[in-house]
Amino acid sequence: MSDYRTPASKVRGLGASGHGASHWISHRITAIALFFLAPVFVWMLAMSGAPDPLATRAFLASPAGAIVTLLTLTAGLAHMRTGMLEVIEDYIHKPFTKTLLVLGNTFIAAGLWLITAFALLKLAL
């Protein structure tokens, strides 16, 4: 017998962990978003005269530049967080260590997003 799920979990469609495919779906959505956003961000930054600090500042202060940058960073950090969360859940078995790492992963991703959003707001204003 290779299926260890209960009859109730088979009906609900949940896997052995009990959370279904939500992590897989969110990871795929952020990957698709990055597939489109990253080249657009790089192209827009390259066309803005990026090596020049004043041109880069002007690009990041423009509405289009700020929006594309924030969307790309949001998708990238969400993708990083969900990917690392899967690694932690799959390979860390001690409950206390797993909890600390999951919290650290979430706080690092949220902190990096807040720092970049603040920096973009400061440049835009």
Side-chain angles (χ1 to χ4, degrees), residues 17-104:
S17 63
H19 62 73
S22 63
H23 288 170
W24 184 84
I25 291 170
S26 68
H27 201 70
R28 293 309 179 264
I29 289 171
T30 56
I32 292 168
L34 282 171
F35 180 77
F36 293 107
L37 284 170
V40 170
F41 171 72
V42 169
W43 180 78
M44 287 178 71
L45 188 62
M47 292 295 116
S48 71
D52 180 30
L54 294 177
T56 304
R57 179 176 285 230
F59 165 72
L60 294 173
S62 70
I67 289 170
V68 169
T69 301
L70 192 60
L71 285 173
T72 305
L73 286 169
T74 301
L77 289 170
H79 189 74
M80 176 198 75
R81 183 186 165 277
T82 55
M84 198 64 213
L85 187 63
E86 285 299 314
V87 171
I88 292 167
E89 288 177 348
D90 288 346
Y91 296 108
I92 305 298
H93 302 293
K94 295 180 181 176
F96 182 72
T97 307
K98 185 183 290 191
T99 302
L100 282 179
L101 288 173
V102 167
L103 285 173

